[in-house]
Amino acid sequence: MLKPDYAVVTGLAPAHLNQYGTLASIAKDFSYITNYVPVDKIYINGSDVELVDTFKGSVSYSKNGVGGWKVRDTAIHASGTTFTLTKKSKSISVASGLLGIHQVGPLAVVAEIADRLSIPLQKIESGLAKTIPFEHRMQPRHLGGALLIDDTYNGNIEGIKAGIALLRDLPAKRRIYVTPGLVEQGELTESVHTQIGELLAVESFDEIVLMKNAMTKFIEAGLAKSGYTGTITVETNPLEYYKNLEFHVAAGDVVMMQNDL
């Protein structure tokens, strides 16, 4: 309908598989972009091998840069993400309100496309400085000295990975991870949730809070498989937990909340 001039494909992950069936079906759907946008104006997440195969000849981006722009001096803060982009004699200082290393690549793409459209570098910097999280998507909140990362609209395993990495990277006295798991994972439901448990176990967070449902047992299996030794709390009343969150956290805690059934 829109026939855009540029396109950015940020990832390929299990989501809406109850309708799509397979990741290959999602990739095929994405591929129709090439009917309207030239490959040199399609930007893809270069860390996804299937996207690279689907969009041969397109421009790949990563946390290291895009289109000749190099990323350096990346820093992740509780209030956002900063880094510098350089390309020959050009330099852009990026200070965004978006949280996490996973935001570096997409922000770099924005700068690259803006530069291709001849927007002055100073305006690119000022525009990027205004970027903030959407509500419930890696949105920082403060509660009694604790930092809460509200990512309760998260919907796939790649987002889960990004949240786990952010919780790992932020300074904290205690790290707490909260999730009920994901929906619409189709035939990958068990494997995806087992993987979530394994990923969490590797990081050795202080406490894992699971909202009791059909996916809980798979996350617990992943935690056990990878030898998690921290505290596991299974909540049977999620609403009460969220209402009384102030009684579960202390100053210096960082709490990552991902998805909300």
Side-chain angles (χ1 to χ4, degrees), residues 4-60:
D5 297 300
Y6 291 83
V8 183
V9 187
T10 58
L12 180 66
H16 306 297
L17 287 186
N18 291 353
Q19 286 77 38
Y20 272 104
T22 65
L23 277 175
S25 295
I26 299 176
K28 182 179 179 181
D29 207 0
F30 286 175
S31 72
Y32 292 125
I33 296 168
T34 58
N35 292 339
Y36 305 100
V37 183
V39 290
D40 66 334
K41 291 184 177 180
I42 297 176
Y43 293 82
I44 62 164
N45 185 341
S47 64
D48 194 309
V49 175
E50 191 157 358
L51 283 183
V52 174
D53 290 340
T54 301
F55 295 96
K56 295 184 186 303
S58 59
V59 186
S60 293

Side-chain angles (χ1 to χ4, degrees), residues 65 98 111 127 135 148 158 172 185 213 235 238 254 261:
L98 300 176
E135 190 175 11
L148 312 180
E158 295 304 318
Q185 300 298 291
N213 60 70
E235 286 288 340
V254 177
L261 296 182

